[in-house]
Amino acid sequence: MRLARLLCLAVIALSMGSSACASGIVQDGEFNFVKAQHLEQWSEQDKQIDTKLAEIREKQGGKRPNILYILIDDVGFGEFGIPELNYVRGTQTPRINKLSDEGLSFMRMYTEPSCTPTRTAMMTGRHPVRTGLEEVKVALIGEGLPKNEVTIAEVLSKAGYATVHIGKWHMGDIKESYPHNQGFDFAAFPLNQQVQLSLMTEDAERSNAMTGYVKSSYTDKFALDKKFKPFGLVTGVEAHKGKDAHEVDMEAGEQWNQEKYNDMNLRYQRQTLEQLRSLAKQEKPFFLQYWPLIPLNFVRSDREQFNMQNGGTMVESMNQLDGWVGEILDELDKLGIADNTLVVLMGDNGPFLRGYQKITGMSDMIYRGGKADHLEGGVRVNAFARWPAAIKPDTLAGDMIHVSDLYTTFARLGGATKYIPTDRIIDGIDQTALLLEGEGNGRRDYVYIYEGVVLRSIVKQKFKMHMPAPGVPGAAAPVFDIARDPREMTPLIEAALWSGASFQDMLKRHMMGIKKYPHSKGGSDKPYEGIDNLRPETLDAVETFMSWH
């Protein structure tokens, strides 16, 4: 009878695209298939979790937890938080190492292969391919996160949270996609990303990190198109919810350089501390998101002395950022809010290796691959969660978790699950039980990994199938045992033939959900609208862009 009931529940979950045990949220068929097998256990545990959350809240004077989310760019697994690997690599991240000792270390956190997709997954709780933001873009694009996506900032804001975003955004250059139009009360952010800010400069050309962008770097008398290279791009802006943004620290005709990039990083660190002090004075809880631009740094000439044995530009900046993280954590203590503040710190994807490993000093170490790869090295990152009032210190969790799970988990912790949309698939799974009860209480044992719009691999438990090339039967698809072969070097084609049909079933369930709930389109509009002080060169760039749209 029990088996029949489980099978019935699984069929219902697959046919409806959601289940009662998912609290009305439409979720991926694979999750419903798994949850149907654990319905009674998880339902009972959820009651206990609710009781525990209520007890924690009562001890904190009835206040829900503050949430501080720090997302670090292009850093491979092991580059911070693990002192032994620091030693081997010639690096130092003592404050983040201390943070890892003070909370829970996720040993199997998956992200997307690059920054825009990961940020989109976290902000919407959905695979980026569902939202139209499935790849990284550089310079003017006239695209972005559409207004009909419901971000975690909007969800928490509706539940009474103060919301602030500081640092990298990289989810579009159109008005509807800006963070202050996506649920944040205040935002300070660059319109583009580090290719513009740290690579498209004379300093980067002199460091041999970039070639052909700066006019002085070569002469081409045959060049006819004077507007082939991106020009007039907006740098950093600031804005409050409901108001236009304002570009800061740039005058008309001024050339962006490494010094300005360094100043921007210092400004974002300073603003994060300022916002913490301001938010701590309010009665309402807060959600503060800090996404620093460093450690991405490609220029050597701005430092007289490198202090790390490694000697890489990004490694040096990672040490600097580590100190900044320490300042933020110290500020939480000074303000007396550390006990009831959930701090989550993690990387957004694997290291930036394509041509830059010799400059940056970063490495893929344990897992093969880096940024833009579906391999473990591209999507497996360090992640730590500290919440003294609720999370046991110095603990590890080998349970699988995906960055989209933070969306649903933050919503539950903030008492905001009723604001999660129910008219679309939400891929994020509530992992509150994992946070509060520790290892063995996760609710995910699978991940679908896309590169752009292409599904490249599926992870299930300790196995990973790379999708077969067109025309190749599923039985010939390479399967890897990630525990035995973390670098995905030795496929178990013959030895893992048992898994072929199971992986194909997973693929079918995934595609059934897509058929029932088709992907949305990304936002599209005139770039840089909603900025009140565009420079003449920026207006020229926008006019050129729109001339062919």
Side-chain angles (χ1 to χ4, degrees):
M1 290 294 292
R2 180 174 174 81
L3 177 60
R5 182 168 182 267
L6 286 175
L7 289 174
C8 178
L9 286 167
V11 171
I12 292 172
L14 284 171
S15 62
M16 296 180 61
S18 62
S19 67
C21 54
S23 303
I25 299 170
V26 179
Q27 294 199 275
D28 186 90
E30 188 62 29
F31 173 67
N32 292 316
F33 188 75
V34 173
K35 191 158 190 175
Q37 301 171 54
H38 297 269
L39 178 60
E40 293 180 2
Q41 172 194 343
W42 288 353
S43 295
E44 184 61 33
Q45 187 181 42
D46 279 335
K47 295 176 185 177
Q48 298 170 9
I49 293 297
D50 286 339
T51 299
K52 193 167 187 176
L53 287 173
E55 292 172 352
I56 294 169
R57 191 172 300 172
E58 184 178 357
K59 290 179 181 178
Q60 298 299 324
K63 191 172 182 180
R64 290 164 290 171
N66 305 308
I67 301 171
L68 171 60
Y69 179 54
I70 304 174
L71 186 62
I72 300 176
D73 218 4
D74 292 2
V75 182
F77 187 93
E79 292 287 8
F80 55 65
I82 305 175
E84 291 81 2
L85 290 180
N86 277 178
Y87 190 89
V88 170
R89 294 271 294 115
T91 66
Q92 293 178 27
T93 56
R95 292 309 304 267
I96 298 178
N97 298 353
K98 184 172 183 290
L99 173 67
S100 73
D101 290 339
E102 294 171 341
L104 174 66
S105 296
F106 298 105
M107 302 307 292
R108 207 170 179 194
M109 168 65 85
Y110 282 93
T111 63
E112 299 293 316
S114 55
C115 37
T116 296
T118 289
R119 291 154 205 271
T120 301
M122 183 271 161
M123 288 301 299
T124 66
R126 285 153 53 78
H127 281 307
V129 70
R130 300 194 197 279
T131 72
L133 262 71
E134 65 276 345
E135 64 177 347
V136 170
K137 298 289 181 68
V138 178
L140 285 176
I141 57 171
E143 300 172 8
L145 188 65
K147 59 185 176 184
N148 62 341
E149 290 294 336
V150 180
T151 70
I152 185 60
E154 290 172 308
V155 168
L156 290 172
S157 183
K158 289 177 182 177
Y161 271 69
T163 54
V164 173
H165 173 86
I166 304 292
K168 182 173 178 173
W169 180 246
H170 204 191
M171 281 181 280
D173 60 3
I174 58 176
K175 184 176 180 179
E176 67 188 83
S177 71
Y178 302 157
H180 59 285
N181 295 327
Q182 291 282 355
F184 288 97
D185 300 323
F186 173 75
F189 62 103
L191 257 292
N192 298 289
Q193 34 82 298
Q194 296 95 322
V195 171
Q196 174 208 4
L197 300 170
S198 185
L199 275 172
M200 290 164 53
T201 67
E202 288 190 7
D203 310 86
E205 290 255 7
R206 294 194 187 101
S207 293
N208 287 324
M210 177 63 70
T211 183
Y213 178 71
V214 178
K215 292 180 181 179
S216 61
S217 65
Y218 71 101
T219 299
D220 185 356
K221 65 180 179 181
F222 304 108
L224 300 177
D225 186 352
K226 297 180 180 179
K227 297 185 177 180
F228 171 62
K229 301 171 186 175
F231 67 99
L233 302 180
V234 173
T235 55
V237 301
E238 297 176 7
H240 289 86
K241 182 183 289 185
K243 297 183 179 180
D244 282 346
H246 189 87
E247 187 175 25
V248 298
D249 196 33
M250 277 294 281
E251 301 294 333
E254 192 174 10
Q255 188 71 35
W256 184 264
N257 56 34
Q258 180 70 14
E259 183 179 1
K260 284 189 168 294
Y261 179 63
N262 293 337
D263 288 345
M264 175 180 276
N265 280 287
L266 289 167
R267 181 168 71 248
Y268 290 153
Q269 172 68 8
R270 183 175 66 250
Q271 287 178 311
T272 299
L273 293 170
E274 291 170 353
Q275 288 296 323
L276 266 182
R277 297 176 191 123
S278 175
L279 292 165
K281 296 176 182 177
Q282 300 183 26
E283 290 297 319
K284 59 173 65 175
F286 65 78
F287 171 53
L288 173 58
Q289 197 162 253
Y290 177 36
W291 294 355
L293 296 167
I294 59 170
L296 260 85
N297 184 26
F298 304 91
V299 174
R300 301 192 68 84
S301 59
D302 61 344
R303 295 179 187 269
E304 292 184 4
Q305 177 64 48
F306 278 63
N307 297 313
M308 300 296 100
Q309 182 184 10
N310 180 289
T313 57
M314 279 184 61
V315 167
E316 197 72 16
S317 291
M318 188 65 237
N319 176 250
Q320 181 180 17
L321 179 59
D322 178 79
W324 291 357
V325 169
E327 291 178 0
I328 292 169
L329 297 176
D330 289 344
E331 193 64 32
L332 291 175
D333 289 332
K334 292 177 185 176
L335 294 169
I337 59 174
D339 194 48
N340 198 34
T341 297
L342 168 62
V343 178
V344 175
L345 182 148
M346 60 181 285
D348 71 343
N349 50 248
F352 198 160
L353 300 179
R354 297 170 186 251
Y356 288 104
Q357 189 169 5
K358 62 183 181 296
I359 297 173
T360 65
M362 290 296 185
S363 168
D364 54 355
M365 285 192 289
I366 300 170
Y367 303 107
R368 183 165 64 95
K371 184 182 181 76
D373 293 328
H374 71 105
L375 301 171
E376 295 288 287
V379 294
R380 193 89 168 258
V381 299
N382 287 113
F384 312 106
R386 189 192 78 172
W387 181 13
I391 295 176
K392 293 180 182 178
D394 199 18
T395 52
L396 306 176
D399 307 67
M400 198 181 301
I401 183 170
H402 185 260
V403 64
S404 63
D405 297 346
L406 298 179
Y407 178 94
T408 322
T409 305
F410 287 173
R412 185 173 185 189
L413 295 177
T417 53
K418 65 181 178 181
Y419 300 112
I420 295 176
T422 58
D423 62 345
R424 67 202 70 184
I425 288 181
I426 300 296
D427 297 289
I429 296 169
D430 176 16
Q431 299 278 19
T432 303
L434 177 58
L435 284 180
L436 300 188
E437 301 298 328
E439 185 174 68
N441 289 280
R443 298 188 178 181
R444 174 190 289 278
D445 72 345
Y446 70 94
V447 175
Y448 294 97
I449 303 177
Y450 282 82
E451 286 181 1
V453 298
V454 179
L455 180 63
R456 290 298 310 276
S457 58
I458 301 176
V459 181
K460 181 71 169 180
Q461 297 165 10
K462 71 167 184 170
F463 301 100
K464 182 173 183 178
M465 173 181 275
H466 292 187
M467 293 295 98
V472 176
V479 175
F480 300 87
D481 182 332
I482 299 302
R484 298 185 186 183
D485 182 18
R487 294 185 65 78
E488 298 163 82
M489 301 289 286
T490 308
L492 306 173
I493 296 177
E494 298 87 352
L497 283 174
W498 64 268
S499 68
S502 296
F503 273 113
Q504 289 179 55
D505 287 346
M506 288 184 66
L507 177 60
K508 290 174 184 177
R509 288 194 283 268
H510 186 58
M511 293 306 167
M512 284 170 61
I514 293 172
K515 184 177 180 179
K516 186 173 179 63
Y517 296 94
H519 298 333
S520 302
K521 292 182 179 179
S524 179
D525 203 351
K526 184 179 180 180
Y528 293 163
E529 290 287 277
I531 301 173
D532 62 16
N533 63 330
L534 295 179
R535 291 170 280 128
E537 56 267 36
T538 304
L539 294 170
D540 186 24
V542 172
E543 182 180 355
T544 299
F545 178 85
M546 295 304 297
S547 69
W548 57 274
H549 280 76

mmCIF file of all heavy atoms in Angstrom, residues 87-121:
data_model
loop_
_atom_site.group_PDB
_atom_site.id
_atom_site.type_symbol
_atom_site.label_atom_id
_atom_site.label_comp_id
_atom_site.label_asym_id
_atom_site.label_seq_id
_atom_site.Cartn_x
_atom_site.Cartn_y
_atom_site.Cartn_z
ATOM 1 N N TYR A 87 47.553 27.257 1.948
ATOM 2 C CA TYR A 87 48.990 27.004 2.111
ATOM 3 C C TYR A 87 49.590 26.419 0.829
ATOM 4 O O TYR A 87 50.641 26.860 0.354
ATOM 5 C CB TYR A 87 49.213 26.052 3.284
ATOM 6 C CG TYR A 87 50.654 25.904 3.701
ATOM 7 C CD1 TYR A 87 51.221 26.762 4.640
ATOM 8 C CD2 TYR A 87 51.452 24.918 3.140
ATOM 9 C CE1 TYR A 87 52.548 26.633 5.018
ATOM 10 C CE2 TYR A 87 52.780 24.779 3.503
ATOM 11 C CZ TYR A 87 53.332 25.646 4.446
ATOM 12 O OH TYR A 87 54.656 25.513 4.798
ATOM 13 N N VAL A 88 48.901 25.429 0.276
ATOM 14 C CA VAL A 88 49.395 24.780 -0.934
ATOM 15 C C VAL A 88 49.465 25.759 -2.102
ATOM 16 O O VAL A 88 50.406 25.721 -2.901
ATOM 17 C CB VAL A 88 48.490 23.585 -1.303
ATOM 18 C CG1 VAL A 88 48.831 23.033 -2.687
ATOM 19 C CG2 VAL A 88 48.636 22.480 -0.257
ATOM 20 N N ARG A 89 48.497 26.658 -2.177
ATOM 21 C CA ARG A 89 48.389 27.560 -3.322
ATOM 22 C C ARG A 89 49.154 28.865 -3.141
ATOM 23 O O ARG A 89 49.216 29.678 -4.054
ATOM 24 C CB ARG A 89 46.912 27.879 -3.583
ATOM 25 C CG ARG A 89 46.104 26.681 -4.036
ATOM 26 C CD ARG A 89 46.139 26.524 -5.552
ATOM 27 N NE ARG A 89 45.456 27.634 -6.173
ATOM 28 C CZ ARG A 89 46.031 28.547 -6.937
ATOM 29 N NH1 ARG A 89 47.313 28.489 -7.188
ATOM 30 N NH2 ARG A 89 45.320 29.532 -7.456
ATOM 31 N N GLY A 90 49.705 29.107 -1.966
ATOM 32 C CA GLY A 90 50.411 30.364 -1.739
ATOM 33 C C GLY A 90 49.474 31.541 -1.623
ATOM 34 O O GLY A 90 49.743 32.624 -2.146
ATOM 35 N N THR A 91 48.341 31.320 -0.945
ATOM 36 C CA THR A 91 47.340 32.367 -0.768
ATOM 37 C C THR A 91 46.997 32.508 0.705
ATOM 38 O O THR A 91 47.394 31.679 1.529
ATOM 39 C CB THR A 91 46.054 32.036 -1.560
ATOM 40 O OG1 THR A 91 45.452 30.864 -0.991
ATOM 41 C CG2 THR A 91 46.356 31.765 -3.015
ATOM 42 N N GLN A 92 46.228 33.547 1.026
ATOM 43 C CA GLN A 92 45.801 33.756 2.408
ATOM 44 C C GLN A 92 44.395 34.351 2.428
ATOM 45 O O GLN A 92 44.161 35.412 1.851
ATOM 46 C CB GLN A 92 46.756 34.717 3.137
ATOM 47 C CG GLN A 92 48.159 34.175 3.348
ATOM 48 C CD GLN A 92 49.064 35.188 4.032
ATOM 49 O OE1 GLN A 92 48.591 36.043 4.764
ATOM 50 N NE2 GLN A 92 50.361 35.094 3.780
ATOM 51 N N THR A 93 43.465 33.647 3.088
ATOM 52 C CA THR A 93 42.111 34.184 3.305
ATOM 53 C C THR A 93 41.691 33.897 4.746
ATOM 54 O O THR A 93 40.727 33.177 4.998
ATOM 55 C CB THR A 93 41.097 33.558 2.321
ATOM 56 O OG1 THR A 93 41.133 32.123 2.464
ATOM 57 C CG2 THR A 93 41.414 33.927 0.884
ATOM 58 N N PRO A 94 42.389 34.460 5.724
ATOM 59 C CA PRO A 94 42.150 34.096 7.125
ATOM 60 C C PRO A 94 40.759 34.438 7.647
ATOM 61 O O PRO A 94 40.194 33.674 8.440
ATOM 62 C CB PRO A 94 43.231 34.877 7.881
ATOM 63 C CG PRO A 94 43.622 35.990 6.955
ATOM 64 C CD PRO A 94 43.486 35.435 5.587
ATOM 65 N N ARG A 95 40.166 35.555 7.217
ATOM 66 C CA ARG A 95 38.860 35.927 7.760
ATOM 67 C C ARG A 95 37.749 35.051 7.209
ATOM 68 O O ARG A 95 36.803 34.702 7.923
ATOM 69 C CB ARG A 95 38.563 37.406 7.480
ATOM 70 C CG ARG A 95 39.450 38.384 8.242
ATOM 71 C CD ARG A 95 39.493 38.103 9.749
ATOM 72 N NE ARG A 95 38.195 38.080 10.386
ATOM 73 C CZ ARG A 95 37.617 39.129 10.972
ATOM 74 N NH1 ARG A 95 38.242 40.301 11.011
ATOM 75 N NH2 ARG A 95 36.435 39.026 11.555
ATOM 76 N N ILE A 96 37.825 34.695 5.936
ATOM 77 C CA ILE A 96 36.817 33.790 5.387
ATOM 78 C C ILE A 96 37.008 32.391 5.962
ATOM 79 O O ILE A 96 36.026 31.685 6.231
ATOM 80 C CB ILE A 96 36.863 33.783 3.849
ATOM 81 C CG1 ILE A 96 36.534 35.180 3.305
ATOM 82 C CG2 ILE A 96 35.891 32.758 3.278
ATOM 83 C CD1 ILE A 96 36.592 35.302 1.794
ATOM 84 N N ASN A 97 38.270 32.002 6.195
ATOM 85 C CA ASN A 97 38.526 30.710 6.855
ATOM 86 C C ASN A 97 37.866 30.678 8.239
ATOM 87 O O ASN A 97 37.275 29.676 8.647
ATOM 88 C CB ASN A 97 40.018 30.469 7.006
ATOM 89 C CG ASN A 97 40.750 30.380 5.676
ATOM 90 O OD1 ASN A 97 40.127 30.368 4.619
ATOM 91 N ND2 ASN A 97 42.061 30.319 5.718
ATOM 92 N N LYS A 98 37.958 31.781 8.941
ATOM 93 C CA LYS A 98 37.348 31.877 10.275
ATOM 94 C C LYS A 98 35.821 31.813 10.160
ATOM 95 O O LYS A 98 35.155 31.161 10.975
ATOM 96 C CB LYS A 98 37.777 33.177 10.948
ATOM 97 C CG LYS A 98 37.281 33.357 12.382
ATOM 98 C CD LYS A 98 37.921 34.589 13.012
ATOM 99 C CE LYS A 98 37.510 34.755 14.477
ATOM 100 N NZ LYS A 98 36.101 35.136 14.637
ATOM 101 N N LEU A 99 35.285 32.476 9.152
ATOM 102 C CA LEU A 99 33.841 32.428 8.923
ATOM 103 C C LEU A 99 33.382 30.988 8.690
ATOM 104 O O LEU A 99 32.341 30.558 9.215
ATOM 105 C CB LEU A 99 33.465 33.293 7.720
ATOM 106 C CG LEU A 99 32.010 33.219 7.249
ATOM 107 C CD1 LEU A 99 31.080 33.822 8.292
ATOM 108 C CD2 LEU A 99 31.837 33.940 5.915
ATOM 109 N N SER A 100 34.165 30.228 7.924
ATOM 110 C CA SER A 100 33.793 28.836 7.660
ATOM 111 C C SER A 100 33.768 28.022 8.945
ATOM 112 O O SER A 100 32.949 27.108 9.099
ATOM 113 C CB SER A 100 34.759 28.210 6.646
ATOM 114 O OG SER A 100 36.024 27.949 7.217
ATOM 115 N N ASP A 101 34.663 28.348 9.898
ATOM 116 C CA ASP A 101 34.696 27.646 11.183
ATOM 117 C C ASP A 101 33.516 28.024 12.075
ATOM 118 O O ASP A 101 33.155 27.274 12.982
ATOM 119 C CB ASP A 101 35.993 27.955 11.923
ATOM 120 C CG ASP A 101 37.213 27.320 11.272
ATOM 121 O OD1 ASP A 101 37.042 26.351 10.507
ATOM 122 O OD2 ASP A 101 38.333 27.807 11.518
ATOM 123 N N GLU A 102 32.953 29.188 11.815
ATOM 124 C CA GLU A 102 31.878 29.690 12.679
ATOM 125 C C GLU A 102 30.489 29.266 12.229
ATOM 126 O O GLU A 102 29.495 29.592 12.881
ATOM 127 C CB GLU A 102 31.940 31.217 12.731
ATOM 128 C CG GLU A 102 33.204 31.742 13.411
ATOM 129 C CD GLU A 102 33.373 33.243 13.271
ATOM 130 O OE1 GLU A 102 32.741 33.834 12.360
ATOM 131 O OE2 GLU A 102 34.141 33.830 14.055
ATOM 132 N N GLY A 103 30.402 28.559 11.105
ATOM 133 C CA GLY A 103 29.088 28.171 10.609
ATOM 134 C C GLY A 103 29.123 26.851 9.873
ATOM 135 O O GLY A 103 29.901 25.947 10.190
ATOM 136 N N LEU A 104 28.273 26.749 8.875
ATOM 137 C CA LEU A 104 28.104 25.533 8.089
ATOM 138 C C LEU A 104 28.781 25.702 6.733
ATOM 139 O O LEU A 104 28.544 26.691 6.037
ATOM 140 C CB LEU A 104 26.605 25.256 7.893
ATOM 141 C CG LEU A 104 26.203 24.109 6.971
ATOM 142 C CD1 LEU A 104 26.641 22.765 7.544
ATOM 143 C CD2 LEU A 104 24.688 24.116 6.743
ATOM 144 N N SER A 105 29.621 24.746 6.360
ATOM 145 C CA SER A 105 30.272 24.754 5.052
ATOM 146 C C SER A 105 29.530 23.792 4.126
ATOM 147 O O SER A 105 29.419 22.602 4.421
ATOM 148 C CB SER A 105 31.739 24.324 5.171
ATOM 149 O OG SER A 105 32.480 25.233 5.940
ATOM 150 N N PHE A 106 29.026 24.331 3.026
ATOM 151 C CA PHE A 106 28.383 23.493 2.021
ATOM 152 C C PHE A 106 29.471 22.907 1.132
ATOM 153 O O PHE A 106 30.147 23.637 0.401
ATOM 154 C CB PHE A 106 27.417 24.311 1.169
ATOM 155 C CG PHE A 106 26.279 24.920 1.943
ATOM 156 C CD1 PHE A 106 26.264 26.275 2.240
ATOM 157 C CD2 PHE A 106 25.214 24.135 2.374
ATOM 158 C CE1 PHE A 106 25.211 26.838 2.949
ATOM 159 C CE2 PHE A 106 24.165 24.692 3.081
ATOM 160 C CZ PHE A 106 24.159 26.035 3.367
ATOM 161 N N MET A 107 29.610 21.620 1.169
ATOM 162 C CA MET A 107 30.671 20.969 0.415
ATOM 163 C C MET A 107 30.237 20.573 -0.995
ATOM 164 O O MET A 107 31.046 20.091 -1.787
ATOM 165 C CB MET A 107 31.169 19.732 1.162
ATOM 166 C CG MET A 107 31.700 20.025 2.561
ATOM 167 S SD MET A 107 32.957 21.339 2.576
ATOM 168 C CE MET A 107 34.294 20.538 1.710
ATOM 169 N N ARG A 108 28.956 20.788 -1.284
ATOM 170 C CA ARG A 108 28.489 20.444 -2.622
ATOM 171 C C ARG A 108 27.499 21.497 -3.125
ATOM 172 O O ARG A 108 26.359 21.195 -3.471
ATOM 173 C CB ARG A 108 27.876 19.054 -2.646
ATOM 174 C CG ARG A 108 27.988 18.405 -4.026
ATOM 175 C CD ARG A 108 27.619 16.949 -4.020
ATOM 176 N NE ARG A 108 27.738 16.416 -5.378
ATOM 177 C CZ ARG A 108 27.246 15.261 -5.779
ATOM 178 N NH1 ARG A 108 26.583 14.501 -4.922
ATOM 179 N NH2 ARG A 108 27.383 14.844 -7.023
ATOM 180 N N MET A 109 27.953 22.747 -3.148
ATOM 181 C CA MET A 109 27.149 23.850 -3.669
ATOM 182 C C MET A 109 27.366 23.961 -5.176
ATOM 183 O O MET A 109 28.496 24.109 -5.646
ATOM 184 C CB MET A 109 27.523 25.165 -2.990
ATOM 185 C CG MET A 109 26.948 26.411 -3.652
ATOM 186 S SD MET A 109 25.155 26.551 -3.598
ATOM 187 C CE MET A 109 24.909 27.313 -1.980
ATOM 188 N N TYR A 110 26.278 23.912 -5.930
ATOM 189 C CA TYR A 110 26.334 24.082 -7.376
ATOM 190 C C TYR A 110 25.798 25.457 -7.763
ATOM 191 O O TYR A 110 24.845 25.962 -7.162
ATOM 192 C CB TYR A 110 25.503 23.012 -8.090
ATOM 193 C CG TYR A 110 26.187 21.669 -8.181
ATOM 194 C CD1 TYR A 110 25.965 20.687 -7.208
ATOM 195 C CD2 TYR A 110 27.042 21.372 -9.233
ATOM 196 C CE1 TYR A 110 26.586 19.453 -7.291
ATOM 197 C CE2 TYR A 110 27.672 20.138 -9.323
ATOM 198 C CZ TYR A 110 27.436 19.180 -8.350
ATOM 199 O OH TYR A 110 28.061 17.953 -8.431
ATOM 200 N N THR A 111 26.426 26.035 -8.782
ATOM 201 C CA THR A 111 25.954 27.284 -9.353
ATOM 202 C C THR A 111 25.717 27.067 -10.844
ATOM 203 O O THR A 111 25.662 25.944 -11.322
ATOM 204 C CB THR A 111 26.987 28.402 -9.149
ATOM 205 O OG1 THR A 111 28.200 28.060 -9.860
ATOM 206 C CG2 THR A 111 27.303 28.615 -7.677
ATOM 207 N N GLU A 112 25.626 28.155 -11.575
ATOM 208 C CA GLU A 112 25.599 28.113 -13.035
ATOM 209 C C GLU A 112 27.024 28.362 -13.534
ATOM 210 O O GLU A 112 27.873 28.849 -12.779
ATOM 211 C CB GLU A 112 24.633 29.158 -13.573
ATOM 212 C CG GLU A 112 23.198 28.960 -13.119
ATOM 213 C CD GLU A 112 22.567 27.703 -13.677
ATOM 214 O OE1 GLU A 112 22.750 27.427 -14.884
ATOM 215 O OE2 GLU A 112 21.896 26.982 -12.912
ATOM 216 N N PRO A 113 27.320 28.089 -14.820
ATOM 217 C CA PRO A 113 28.710 28.187 -15.282
ATOM 218 C C PRO A 113 29.285 29.599 -15.385
ATOM 219 O O PRO A 113 30.494 29.738 -15.543
ATOM 220 C CB PRO A 113 28.662 27.537 -16.678
ATOM 221 C CG PRO A 113 27.455 26.674 -16.662
ATOM 222 C CD PRO A 113 26.466 27.412 -15.815
ATOM 223 N N SER A 114 28.455 30.638 -15.328
ATOM 224 C CA SER A 114 28.996 31.997 -15.413
ATOM 225 C C SER A 114 28.123 32.964 -14.630
ATOM 226 O O SER A 114 27.058 32.591 -14.129
ATOM 227 C CB SER A 114 29.145 32.450 -16.875
ATOM 228 O OG SER A 114 27.926 32.332 -17.556
ATOM 229 N N CYS A 115 28.579 34.217 -14.541
ATOM 230 C CA CYS A 115 28.029 35.131 -13.541
ATOM 231 C C CYS A 115 26.580 35.548 -13.758
ATOM 232 O O CYS A 115 25.781 35.490 -12.830
ATOM 233 C CB CYS A 115 28.928 36.357 -13.389
ATOM 234 S SG CYS A 115 29.689 36.958 -14.881
ATOM 235 N N THR A 116 26.205 35.964 -14.965
ATOM 236 C CA THR A 116 24.818 36.371 -15.178
ATOM 237 C C THR A 116 23.851 35.233 -14.875
ATOM 238 O O THR A 116 22.860 35.432 -14.157
ATOM 239 C CB THR A 116 24.613 36.897 -16.605
ATOM 240 O OG1 THR A 116 25.395 38.080 -16.791
ATOM 241 C CG2 THR A 116 23.151 37.225 -16.865
ATOM 242 N N PRO A 117 24.076 34.027 -15.397
ATOM 243 C CA PRO A 117 23.161 32.930 -15.063
ATOM 244 C C PRO A 117 23.071 32.625 -13.569
ATOM 245 O O PRO A 117 21.977 32.393 -13.045
ATOM 246 C CB PRO A 117 23.740 31.752 -15.850
ATOM 247 C CG PRO A 117 24.432 32.378 -17.007
ATOM 248 C CD PRO A 117 25.031 33.639 -16.451
ATOM 249 N N THR A 118 24.198 32.614 -12.867
ATOM 250 C CA THR A 118 24.165 32.334 -11.430
ATOM 251 C C THR A 118 23.374 33.395 -10.689
ATOM 252 O O THR A 118 22.540 33.090 -9.818
ATOM 253 C CB THR A 118 25.597 32.259 -10.862
ATOM 254 O OG1 THR A 118 26.220 31.064 -11.335
ATOM 255 C CG2 THR A 118 25.594 32.244 -9.338
ATOM 256 N N ARG A 119 23.606 34.655 -11.006
ATOM 257 C CA ARG A 119 22.908 35.748 -10.333
ATOM 258 C C ARG A 119 21.412 35.706 -10.626
ATOM 259 O O ARG A 119 20.572 35.980 -9.756
ATOM 260 C CB ARG A 119 23.551 37.074 -10.740
ATOM 261 C CG ARG A 119 24.957 37.221 -10.163
ATOM 262 C CD ARG A 119 25.873 38.149 -10.971
ATOM 263 N NE ARG A 119 27.261 37.788 -10.722
ATOM 264 C CZ ARG A 119 28.012 38.282 -9.735
ATOM 265 N NH1 ARG A 119 27.512 39.221 -8.960
ATOM 266 N NH2 ARG A 119 29.240 37.882 -9.553
ATOM 267 N N THR A 120 21.083 35.352 -11.852
ATOM 268 C CA THR A 120 19.676 35.225 -12.221
ATOM 269 C C THR A 120 19.017 34.084 -11.459
ATOM 270 O O THR A 120 17.883 34.210 -10.977
ATOM 271 C CB THR A 120 19.545 34.987 -13.737
ATOM 272 O OG1 THR A 120 20.151 36.084 -14.435
ATOM 273 C CG2 THR A 120 18.096 34.877 -14.155
ATOM 274 N N ALA A 121 19.704 32.946 -11.349
ATOM 275 C CA ALA A 121 19.158 31.798 -10.626
ATOM 276 C C ALA A 121 18.897 32.143 -9.171
ATOM 277 O O ALA A 121 17.859 31.773 -8.596
ATOM 278 C CB ALA A 121 20.114 30.612 -10.730
#
